[in-house]
């Protein structure tokens, strides 16, 4: 297994680590009755308002237009393996659902979406400005077509596409500007993010609006405002991240394993979470916080992370023979999008109109 030597961005890793914590906590909270208590409703609103767009934006930053075949093969291999694993886990817990042949199981939609976005990177490199403008138009248009929904992760792929393209074309520049902000500038951005969050709580929107899988006819909203408030919240996240390595950085570098494995714990704990929330919602929130931390620590352990990498690399010999590729790693490519960022610094920064060299 070959590991590339690269320079990691501590802010980027910390942001990914914080977001993967929100993903786990959000999935646990969703197993309660979020609308039954102010605490859970506020947390769900705050988490789902921006965590996936921000995650996709960071995935765009760490993506690159080379080694596409290897990376797509890793995404699809992990999708196939965990599609079966989650299906079996649900049946062991009493589900009678049929196997979802065309719809990624639950959280696995991200792997299929990443495959589609990765395939687009050569086009984005060639036409960065046009790609960004077109991605916004496609995202808006996706909400107008009833046929766009869960199958093949099509709705989320199109709805979140602008965030991936923006991260790919402007992400490094955004990170550089955030790093250059003084205390006053960071305070302004953080204040704007808090104001947006307060506005969302006041509005109390339907949480389906945040999932990227429903059309405008169901949600009765405009995606333009969504792009704006998600951008502000993402900027607020970046300015609040620590500039020196912390435990969040480890979570960010190994977030692929956390992302893929935490769902099994969520499924197992779901009945107990609901009972706990009904008895004492505040105690439930605290306990879910501890459970989230435990999941992140265990799933980010090096042996676990390496095992996920090996699973993703099962098809690599075949891909290398077909594509003539000589360098592949079980974690360097797949986790660049979801977690480690090991290969992130290998690609040049993309400006608005300056393709990779």
């Amino acid at each position: 297994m070959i590991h590339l030597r690269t320079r990691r961005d501590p802010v980027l890793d910390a942001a990914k680590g914080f977001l993967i914590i929100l993903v786990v906590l959000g999935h646990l909270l969703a197993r309660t009755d979020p609308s039954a208590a102010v605490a859970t409703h506020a947390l769900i609103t705050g988490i789902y308002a921006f965590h996936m767009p921000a995650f996709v934006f960071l995935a765009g930053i760490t993506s690159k237009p080379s080694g596409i075949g290897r990376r797509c093969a890793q995404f699809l291999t992990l999708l196939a393996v965990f599609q079966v694993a989650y299906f079996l886990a649900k049946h062991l817990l009493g589900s009678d659902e049929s196997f979802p042949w065309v719809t990624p199981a639950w959280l696995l939609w991200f792997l299929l979406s990443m495959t589609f976005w990765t395939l687009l990177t050569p086009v984005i490199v060639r036409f960065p400005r046009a790609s960004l403008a077109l991605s916004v138009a496609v995202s808006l248009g996706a909400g107008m077509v009833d046929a766009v929904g869960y199958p093949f992760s099509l709705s989320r792929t199109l709805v979140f596409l602008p965030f991936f393209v923006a991260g790919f074309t402007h992400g490094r520049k955004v990170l550089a500007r955030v790093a250059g902000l003084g205390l006053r500038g960071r305070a302004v951005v953080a204040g704007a993010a808090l104001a947006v969050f307060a506005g969302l709580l006041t509005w109390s929107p339907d949480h389906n609006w945040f999932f990227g899988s429903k059309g405008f006819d169901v949600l009765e909203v405009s995606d333009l405002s969504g792009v704006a408030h998600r951008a502000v919240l993402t900027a607020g996240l970046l300015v609040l991240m620590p500039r020196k390595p912390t435990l969040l950085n480890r979570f960010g570098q190994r977030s692929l394993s956390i992302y893929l494995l935490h769902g099994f714990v969520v499924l197992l704990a779901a009945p107990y979470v609901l009972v706990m929330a009904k008895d004492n919602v505040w105690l439930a929130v605290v306990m879910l916080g501890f459970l989230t931390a435990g999941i992140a620590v265990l799933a980010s352990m090096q042996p676990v992370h390496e095992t996920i990498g090996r699973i993703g690399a099962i098809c690599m010999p075949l891909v290398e023979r077909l594509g003539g590729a000589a360098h592949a790693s079980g974690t360097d490519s797949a986790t660049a999008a979801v977690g480690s960022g090991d290969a992130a610094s290998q690609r040049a920064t993309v400006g608005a109109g300056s393709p990779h060299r």
Side-chain angles (χ1 to χ4, degrees):
M1 186 177 291
I2 301 172
H3 292 276
L4 300 176
R5 287 186 174 182
T6 59
R7 175 182 58 81
R8 289 192 174 114
D9 188 318
V11 174
L12 181 60
D13 283 342
K16 286 188 289 186
F18 184 74
L19 287 172
I20 197 63
I21 290 292
L22 293 185
V23 169
V24 178
L25 181 59
H27 284 155
L28 286 168
L29 286 170
R31 299 293 165 159
T32 67
D33 185 0
S35 61
V38 174
T40 52
H41 182 77
L43 283 171
I44 285 286
T45 299
I47 291 171
Y48 279 88
F50 82 105
H51 81 297
M52 282 316 304
F55 210 65
V56 173
F57 177 79
L58 298 183
I61 295 178
T62 54
S63 293
K64 57 180 183 176
S66 59
I68 292 175
R70 296 195 301 274
R71 284 181 287 123
C72 288
Q74 288 173 324
F75 292 135
L76 293 176
T77 300
L78 289 170
L79 173 60
V81 171
F82 280 90
Q83 184 86 339
V84 174
Y86 273 105
F87 173 75
L88 293 177
K90 288 182 178 180
H91 270 258
L92 288 174
L93 294 173
S95 172
D96 58 355
E97 296 178 6
S98 58
F99 188 81
W101 292 101
V102 299
T103 302
W106 188 19
L107 52 81
L108 300 181
W109 69 267
F110 189 73
L111 293 174
L112 187 55
S113 292
M114 274 303 307
T115 302
F116 291 137
W117 294 330
T118 299
L119 290 172
L120 290 176
T121 52
V123 178
I124 300 172
V125 167
R126 183 68 180 86
F127 307 103
R129 291 177 179 171
S131 295
L132 185 56
L134 185 59
S135 69
V136 173
V138 168
S139 177
L140 294 173
M144 304 175 188
V145 182
D146 294 337
V148 177
Y150 285 107
F152 299 106
S153 188
L154 187 57
S155 179
R156 284 166 170 159
T157 298
L158 300 180
V159 168
F160 293 133
L161 178 60
F163 297 96
F164 178 85
V165 177
F168 190 87
T169 57
H170 294 81
R172 290 289 172 183
K173 190 180 296 183
V174 170
L175 286 179
R177 290 190 177 181
V178 167
L181 287 176
L183 182 60
R184 181 177 299 178
R186 293 179 188 176
V188 170
V189 174
L194 289 175
V196 169
F197 176 67
L200 287 171
L201 293 184
T202 302
W203 174 27
S204 189
D206 183 340
H207 289 157
N208 284 321
W209 190 71
F210 300 132
F211 299 158
S213 55
K214 303 287 186 179
F216 297 158
D217 58 329
V218 175
L219 304 178
E220 299 179 353
V221 295
S222 167
D223 213 38
L224 287 173
S225 60
V227 171
H229 84 250
R230 287 164 177 167
V232 173
L233 289 171
T234 301
L237 167 71
L238 293 175
V239 301
L240 292 174
M241 287 299 100
R243 267 50 186 170
K244 295 182 179 180
T246 64
L247 185 59
L248 285 177
N249 293 72
R250 169 180 155 179
F251 296 158
Q253 293 159 12
R254 302 175 182 179
S255 60
L256 179 61
S257 53
I258 300 173
Y259 187 83
L260 291 176
L261 296 175
H262 81 274
F264 296 107
V265 180
V266 174
L267 291 175
L268 185 63
Y272 308 101
V273 169
L274 185 58
V275 172
M276 193 189 319
K278 288 182 178 179
D279 291 341
N280 188 323
V281 67
W282 291 105
L283 177 62
V285 170
V286 172
M287 294 302 295
L288 292 182
F290 280 111
L291 181 57
T292 297
I295 293 172
V297 170
L298 293 176
S300 66
M301 294 177 65
Q302 185 66 21
V304 178
H305 181 63
E306 290 180 348
T307 298
I308 296 299
R310 292 190 182 97
I311 293 174
I314 290 174
C315 296
M316 284 305 100
L318 176 61
V319 174
E320 290 175 357
R321 285 198 296 270
L322 293 176
H327 303 288
S329 163
T331 56
D332 288 339
S333 297
T335 57
V338 190
S340 75
D342 289 344
S345 299
Q346 292 298 308
R347 73 172 179 84
T349 302
V350 182
S354 56
H356 289 291
R357 301 295 181 185

